[in-house]
Amino acid sequence: MQDYDASFMRRAIELAKGGEGKTNPNPLVGAVIVKDGKIIGEGFHHKYGELHAEREALADCARRGNDASGADIYVTLEPCCHFGKQPPCTHAIAESGIKRVFVGSRDPNPLVHGKGNEYLREQGIQVQEDFLREECDVLNPIFFHYISTKTPYVALKYAMTLDGKIATKSGKSKWITGEESREFVQKLRNRYAGIMCGSGTILADDPMLNCRIPGGTNPLRIICDSKLRIPLESQIVKTAAQIPTLIACVKPDGEKKARLEAAGAEVLELNDDGKNHIDLKQLMEILGERKIDSVLIEGGGELNYSALESGIVQHIFAFCAPKIFGGTAKSPVAGSGIDSPSEAFTFSLSAIHQFRNDILLEYDK
């Protein structure tokens, strides 16, 4: 029966991915209801504030004219048992007559952790915990970090050549990687609630930093610009009224700040970290308070080093393209550097992907 049950949980995992970019700061969750060996209802959490996966699956069951009593439900995350934007899913499961619940991940939220499963058992429902837990956990590193720390899950993304360059000696960087790699980056932009870069990247590349997936969600654009160097004619400023944009600075010039705000951007004054840079830890705390659960850094070497030095990075996406630039061109991480190999910023390899001729290496903190 284990393989039989696993197929339904894997279906729930695939369904959960349908909420990418729309559920933040809630988790990605999928649910499948099975009776007499057949799926009679399924669903996933579509959008923050809307029905959770279990209630979506039950609604789907009703639309199909099916009765869930005596059925099994496979859900990728422990069902919630508290009132929030939606009522408890545990109540809906119990009221439906479902007799057995397979639960993948455990919910670290103190309001739910262990309590959802306990409530179901008190209602006479069989609960199997940790079913395909590792596969289910892969869905929600962002949620697990955010709900536990109240600060965003931060991923650092960069593309480099075989000799570790992110641009040519003249500063040109389009394009290092191939089209398939760049499509994957668009999926990341859809998944993360915020995208961050430094003023140097704005000055060098004038990026848009938007999500170009049809129907995708634009992340909050966060520009680390301690001296407000961002040009008023940049694409970021020109589109600030259409795409949420936050410019973080230190002691801003009043006139420049007013003009940026008139264009639609928010200018946020932060502390200096002691090295003439923005205090990134303070920035993360503020973003967390605003329910920004994740940030994708697409900056240059200076911002990348500052992020690593401040300890805010949980994950790295390192693309390596089959090209060599040579010379003294920029590398992915700049800054002052370290004195000894023992002082290195260390991560653990978590995944390797191939996009045609490009390689993507993923690392976890």
Side-chain angles (χ1 to χ4, degrees), residues 200-234:
T201 299
I202 303 298
L203 291 168
D205 300 333
D206 191 23
M208 179 70 82
L209 297 181
N210 62 330
C211 176
R212 294 189 285 275
I213 295 175
T217 303
N218 283 320
L220 168 68
R221 301 183 301 190
I222 306 157
I223 313 302
C224 294
D225 187 4
S226 57
K227 298 178 181 179
L228 282 190
R229 298 191 300 159
I230 186 170
L232 293 171
E233 63 273 14
S234 65

Side-chain angles (χ1 to χ4, degrees), residues 337-347 365:
I338 59 173
D339 293 323
S340 169
S342 63
E343 299 172 353
F345 307 109
T346 58
F347 292 80
K365 184 62 178 174

Side-chain angles (χ1 to χ4, degrees), residues 81-297:
C81 55
H82 67 290
F83 286 87
K85 293 282 186 180
Q86 294 291 332
C89 290
T90 50
H91 292 189
I93 291 171
E95 291 165 3
S96 72
I98 284 174
K99 293 301 180 184
R100 194 164 54 158
V101 180
F102 291 81
V103 177
S105 299
R106 300 194 182 199
D107 193 333
N109 186 342
L111 296 174
V112 180
H113 186 65
K115 299 173 185 176
N117 293 337
E118 181 182 358
Y119 175 86
L120 293 172
R121 290 191 177 104
E122 289 174 351
Q123 307 308 306
I125 299 171
Q126 295 179 43
V127 179
Q128 182 169 341
E129 297 175 312
D130 301 330
F131 189 76
L132 295 192
R133 181 176 176 177
E134 290 186 2
E135 293 182 43
C136 292
D137 283 354
V138 172
L139 287 169
N140 287 303
I142 289 173
F143 173 73
F144 294 154
H145 175 84
Y146 176 73
I147 203 68
S148 301
T149 67
K150 303 303 179 187
T151 58
Y153 179 91
V154 178
L156 182 62
K157 188 279 295 182
Y158 56 81
M160 63 182 181
T161 61
L162 289 177
D163 55 339
K165 308 299 184 183
I166 60 172
T168 65
K169 63 180 182 179
S170 64
K172 296 179 181 178
S173 60
K174 292 183 179 180
W175 295 103
I176 291 176
T177 55
E179 185 176 347
E180 291 183 4
S181 296
R182 299 199 297 273
E183 287 177 358
F184 180 80
V185 171
Q186 294 304 313
K187 292 178 181 178
L188 291 179
R189 290 183 178 184
N190 180 57
R191 177 71 182 92
Y192 282 72
I195 182 170
M196 187 164 79
C197 80
S199 58
T201 299
I202 303 298
L203 291 168
D205 300 333
D206 191 23
M208 179 70 82
L209 297 181
N210 62 330
C211 176
R212 294 189 285 275
I213 295 175
T217 303
N218 283 320
L220 168 68
R221 301 183 301 190
I222 306 157
I223 313 302
C224 294
D225 187 4
S226 57
K227 298 178 181 179
L228 282 190
R229 298 191 300 159
I230 186 170
L232 293 171
E233 63 273 14
S234 65
Q235 291 194 87
I236 293 291
V237 176
K238 286 182 177 178
T239 58
Q242 290 77 47
I243 302 174
T245 303
L246 184 154
I247 303 174
C249 63
V250 178
K251 296 180 181 179
D253 171 82
E255 182 180 351
K256 182 71 172 287
K257 176 183 177 182
R259 296 183 71 178
L260 290 170
E261 290 175 336
E266 176 188 0
V267 179
L268 178 66
E269 184 175 354
L270 297 174
N271 296 332
D272 187 313
D273 68 353
K275 298 181 180 180
N276 297 318
H277 296 141
I278 289 162
D279 186 332
L280 292 177
K281 285 188 176 180
Q282 181 191 18
L283 176 57
M284 292 306 113
E285 290 171 359
I286 292 171
L287 292 174
E289 291 170 359
R290 298 185 180 190
K291 296 186 176 181
I292 300 299
D293 65 354
S294 51
V295 173
L296 179 67
I297 299 179

Side-chain angles (χ1 to χ4, degrees), residues 60-71:
D60 182 51
C61 192
R63 284 193 293 268
R64 299 186 191 193
N66 295 324
D67 179 8
S69 61

